[in-house]
Amino acid sequence: MDVTDVLAGEHGVFHLLVEQLDDSIDRCTTLAELRVAAEPLALSLLGHARVEEETLFQSYEQATGTLGPLRCLRHEHEQMDRWIRALFRIPDLDEMRRQTRALLDLTRRHLAREEQVMFTAAREALTAGVLAACGAQWARFRGVAIGGEPALD
């Protein structure tokens, strides 16, 4: 399975989580409620960035010998990581709302960049075999069985 397809599938879940959090920001009346609402997206984004780096990004860099679109995407991963970790230490509800909206804006832009630029660049630069090997590596990370083969470590 092509890693860009499975990562795009994960992005579908992120788009849903982004919209759910965006819809709930103003309905949350306490910091605790907003933190609970933000946790699913925040935790998922942290894990997703690691999986992308260790599957697609490293393979792309090895094959092309260039950072190409990776420089911006890695910077955004680092920025999202910092923002997420800081988000849950904010002591003021209004400030957390502002910072959550900023994180959602960054996440939307980042997902679009990966979908429109990175996945296309990877499909052009990497062979079908490499994309499939990266997909198998993704399956091992996620504990998913592909094609009837158990995903065991």
Side-chain angles (χ1 to χ4, degrees):
M1 178 172 282
D2 181 324
V3 71
T4 61
D5 291 335
V6 296
L7 291 173
E10 285 192 6
H11 282 201
V13 174
F14 289 124
H15 288 293
L16 175 65
L17 292 171
V18 163
E19 293 313 311
Q20 285 179 332
L21 179 54
D22 196 24
D23 289 344
S24 68
I25 289 173
D26 289 325
R27 287 194 310 261
C28 293
T29 58
T30 67
L31 272 172
E33 287 177 349
L34 185 51
R35 286 178 178 145
V36 167
E39 276 181 352
L41 177 64
L43 294 174
S44 298
L45 283 173
L46 294 174
H48 179 74
R50 179 178 167 255
V51 169
E52 282 182 333
E53 179 61 42
E54 294 186 19
T55 59
L56 181 61
F57 288 13
Q58 287 180 5
S59 295
Y60 179 84
E61 189 173 9
Q62 288 172 355
T64 64
T66 180
L67 290 176
L70 296 180
R71 180 171 293 144
C72 175
L73 296 174
R74 283 177 170 152
H75 172 72
E76 288 172 346
H77 281 171
E78 292 167 5
Q79 188 176 17
M80 283 189 286
D81 182 88
R82 283 191 310 273
W83 284 10
I84 288 166
R85 293 176 193 287
L87 190 66
F88 292 92
R89 292 190 292 263
I90 295 173
D92 177 72
L93 178 60
D94 288 334
E95 181 60 21
M96 186 166 177
R97 284 183 175 137
R98 279 191 291 280
Q99 293 302 318
T100 300
R101 286 189 178 97
L103 175 63
L104 293 178
D105 290 343
L106 174 60
T107 301
R108 286 182 178 110
R109 286 191 313 271
H110 177 77
L111 293 172
R113 239 187 292 284
E114 285 183 343
E115 293 159 10
Q116 296 165 9
V117 177
M118 185 65 224
F119 295 168
T120 300
R123 288 182 194 115
E124 292 172 358
L126 303 175
T127 66
V130 170
L131 291 169
C134 292
Q137 186 179 13
W138 169 88
R140 285 190 298 279
F141 274 120
R142 293 296 191 212
V144 173
I146 296 180
E149 293 290 323
L152 302 174
D153 286 332

